[in-house]
Amino acid sequence: MADIKKKPVQIVETVLRDAHQSLVATRMTTEQMLPIIDKMDKVGYRAVECWGGATFDASLRFLHEDPWERLRKFKDGFKNTKLQMLFRGQNILGYNHYADDVVEYFVQKSVANGIDIIRIFDALNDIRNLKTAVNAANKEKNAEVQIALCYTLGDAYTLDYWKDIAKRIEDMGADSLCVKDMAGLLTPYAAEELIGSLKGSTKLPIELHTHYTAGVASMTLLKAVESGCDIIDTAISPLALGTSQPATEVMVETFRGTPYDTGLDINLLSEIADYFQPIREGFIKSGLLNPKVLGVNINTLKYQVPGGMLSNLINQLKEAGKEDKYREVLEEIPRVRKDFGEPPLVTPSSQIVGTQAVMNVLSGERYKLVPKESKKIMLGEFGQTIKPFNAEVQKKIIGDEKPITCRPADLIPPQLPEFEKQVAKWKEQDEDVLTYALFPKVAEEFFEYRAAQKTKVDMTKADKAAGAYPV
């Protein structure tokens, strides 16, 4: 190895976003995060992933926190480290497609509030659904645009497919490319082959994001880096492994003294780990961190089903009192996925395919019961899949309705003016309209809560001024 040119691998730390999203349903509070930011800022990470994904929804819904305020606090604390977010293309951070004006405004406000790197992906790898977000991000001088490919398996997903789509992404104006392996399906030698091929077809820096669910992720990162991968996503050890990412300290030590040496200080990383250790213990004690998600789930590789999707299936079957049908449902998932054009299984396609498989098994007849989301996918409302739908199944689900073939958002008129009207009575900052656009009901409840908190504070101040409290 001595004669290999030095090529330090860069690290993106996920503890403030995907690590706690994967392990504890995104329940870490801003208050738990802020005290360690100063120390994290000294590490020399390429970036800290801290926003987007499910953090926006969970902050409002469960923590009664303003996600925009969280982002601003991160920006104040991280003086030397870039902040990264995950953006679901035309879905933004929600579950439906939004009009272009909403997507563009969300990108502008994300950058204005502190985001440096926007990782944009589409659940179906339909790059038409990335276009608006990518163009909007490219207009922001301070933003780096990273496009993520959702990695999955299937006979259509050949090396030629990945090379071709990587080239198209480069042509779209991306600054970097991420292979997003949300289910932990990428095995070490497959990573070596994939990254090696991508390095031959694009000049873009390549990042690899994977999960430890199937137990192979650290080895996968090792082979990927040896094959030319420039950046890897890792999580500080107390919130690593299981359905999260490989541990930061382990990967730093793995590359120590090699051409890929990260140069990061293991002692500083240990101090950061010490900070998160009691937070982890608290999550275990409260039941938020279920030890089951920390083990190896080999069904992930066997059925190509992400860890979170497996737990959803178990819950759906429990509620129906049909846990004995678990194996049958697992076997039905690949069949439904094939009928639905073999999409990657990631939000929202994973939920749609999984729920449909459960319904097929429980009703005793395939596609007798069909949720509206299954109909939407068959009508082309989420975009284009890599393979055609099963024509027979499509006919059964949508009847004589005509599927769309254009980019779904082309059919959505501008939405911002109407959202502005609806949010007017609660609006305290420009960003409130975007919060409302994504999650109207949750936003209303949060705005009411925010107003009540302000009233409480104002009353306390008035009481103090009147001498009701000792100051």
Side-chain angles (χ1 to χ4, degrees):
M1 290 186 89
D3 57 347
I4 299 178
K5 194 177 155 205
K6 282 197 171 183
K7 189 181 175 293
V9 65
Q10 295 178 285
I11 301 267
V12 170
E13 174 60 63
T14 68
V15 70
L16 302 184
R17 205 284 295 179
D18 199 25
H20 73 109
Q21 178 175 320
S22 300
L23 294 177
V24 293
T26 334
R27 295 298 203 277
M28 203 189 300
T29 64
T30 305
E31 203 174 278
Q32 287 174 309
M33 301 176 194
L34 292 179
I36 195 62
I37 282 179
D38 186 51
K39 209 160 263 189
M40 289 179 72
D41 196 34
K42 294 181 172 76
V43 171
Y45 295 119
R46 165 186 153 86
V48 169
E49 193 204 35
C50 60
W51 211 63
T55 61
F56 199 94
D57 184 5
S59 295
L60 295 163
R61 193 185 299 265
F62 303 113
L63 307 175
H64 304 301
E65 291 186 4
D66 182 354
W68 297 101
E69 187 57 33
R70 176 185 290 188
L71 177 54
R72 290 190 283 267
K73 285 176 177 173
F74 285 156
K75 195 61 185 173
D76 287 344
F78 283 108
K79 312 284 187 201
N80 311 299
T81 310
K82 289 184 175 181
L83 303 184
Q84 182 170 309
M85 76 171 291
L86 181 67
F87 194 102
R88 296 180 187 136
Q90 209 69 30
N91 291 2
I92 310 178
L93 304 176
Y95 307 101
N96 298 298
H97 281 215
Y98 294 90
D100 288 340
D101 62 342
V102 181
V103 175
E104 286 162 1
Y105 195 43
F106 203 102
V107 168
Q108 285 166 22
K109 285 297 179 186
S110 299
V111 176
N113 281 276
I115 288 298
D116 301 292
I117 303 171
I118 304 183
R119 176 181 291 172
I120 304 166
F121 79 98
D122 176 68
L124 305 183
N125 286 335
D126 182 344
I127 66 173
R128 298 175 306 169
N129 295 334
L130 304 174
K131 193 175 145 195
T132 300
V134 169
N135 289 347
N138 273 328
K139 281 180 194 161
E140 302 296 318
K141 286 176 190 163
N142 305 326
E144 179 182 319
V145 183
Q146 182 179 86
I147 297 181
L149 296 176
C150 295
Y151 179 76
T152 190
L153 303 171
D155 57 14
Y157 296 96
T158 60
L159 284 178
D160 284 341
Y161 165 82
W162 296 117
K163 282 156 69 174
D164 174 61
I165 201 167
K167 193 77 199 77
R168 288 162 71 200
I169 277 169
E170 190 172 6
D171 294 343
M172 275 182 87
D175 297 305
S176 60
L177 162 68
C178 174
V179 175
K180 179 177 162 57
D181 176 24
M182 53 282 156
L185 299 175
L186 189 59
T187 53
Y189 289 101
E192 181 179 54
E193 189 178 38
L194 176 63
I195 300 297
S197 294
L198 290 175
K199 289 304 277 187
S201 65
T202 175
K203 295 182 181 71
L204 296 177
I206 296 176
E207 183 161 350
L208 178 55
H209 174 94
T210 187
H211 289 251
Y212 213 91
T213 320
V216 298
S218 293
M219 294 183 283
T220 297
L221 290 185
L222 173 62
K223 295 307 284 183
V225 168
E226 288 178 351
S227 307
C229 183
D230 304 278
I231 311 150
I232 56 174
D233 287 6
T234 62
I236 206 77
S237 56
L239 288 171
L241 309 186
T243 48
S244 178
Q245 278 75 50
T248 305
E249 306 95 302
V250 171
M251 297 317 298
V252 166
E253 284 305 290
T254 297
F255 296 120
R256 173 98 48 225
T258 74
Y260 315 108
D261 196 326
T262 63
L264 303 191
D265 180 354
I266 194 68
N267 296 316
L268 184 52
L269 292 172
S270 294
E271 288 175 33
I272 295 165
D274 288 344
Y275 174 82
F276 283 104
Q277 193 59 40
I279 293 175
R280 170 197 165 95
E281 298 305 327
F283 285 144
I284 291 173
K285 201 173 173 186
S286 70
L288 258 179
L289 179 48
N290 185 333
K292 280 182 186 171
V293 303
L294 297 172
V296 170
N297 193 333
I298 206 61
N299 279 332
T300 297
L301 289 180
K302 196 173 174 190
Y303 296 103
Q304 301 174 31
V305 177
M309 187 176 165
L310 284 171
S311 51
N312 282 345
L313 292 181
I314 293 164
N315 287 339
Q316 284 176 317
L317 293 171
K318 253 187 194 166
E319 282 168 21
K322 298 282 186 182
E323 287 171 87
D324 58 319
K325 301 284 189 185
Y326 179 59
R327 183 73 48 194
E328 228 178 299
V329 170
L330 277 181
E331 286 163 3
E332 175 66 359
I333 285 169
R335 291 193 285 265
V336 173
R337 181 175 173 243
K338 199 170 183 187
D339 291 339
F340 282 25
E342 227 167 79
L345 295 179
V346 63
T347 301
S349 57
S350 53
Q351 289 89 332
I352 297 168
V353 169
T355 302
Q356 187 63 65
V358 169
M359 289 187 169
N360 286 359
V361 169
L362 296 190
S363 68
E365 183 189 323
R366 302 187 81 227
Y367 306 108
K368 182 183 177 182
L369 301 173
V370 177
K372 65 178 189 298
E373 288 77 15
S374 290
K375 192 173 179 185
K376 272 184 168 185
I377 213 167
M378 284 291 184
L379 282 167
E381 289 181 24
F382 286 102
Q384 192 172 16
T385 51
I386 186 170
K387 283 188 153 185
F389 301 131
N390 178 325
E392 221 175 283
V393 170
Q394 187 182 32
K395 176 79 175 161
K396 189 168 183 180
I397 289 178
I398 69 169
D400 295 327
E401 284 190 60
K402 197 170 166 49
I404 65 167
T405 54
C406 64
R407 183 185 73 114
D410 287 344
L411 303 176
I412 308 174
Q415 294 172 312
L416 265 180
E418 189 54 37
F419 287 138
E420 285 283 10
K421 276 186 214 161
Q422 290 167 0
V423 83
K425 65 175 175 178
W426 292 291
K427 190 173 174 184
E428 291 182 11
Q429 57 180 353
D430 289 346
E431 292 79 5
D432 286 346
V433 69
L434 293 166
T435 302
Y436 180 83
L438 264 57
F439 304 105
K441 193 171 183 319
V442 175
E444 281 182 29
E445 287 168 9
F446 170 73
F447 296 149
E448 299 283 5
Y449 169 83
R450 181 176 68 182
Q453 294 303 106
K454 284 219 163 82
T455 307
K456 261 189 220 171
V457 170
D458 291 343
M459 281 173 70
T460 306
K461 278 181 186 166
D463 288 340
K464 279 183 180 177
Y469 294 92
V471 178

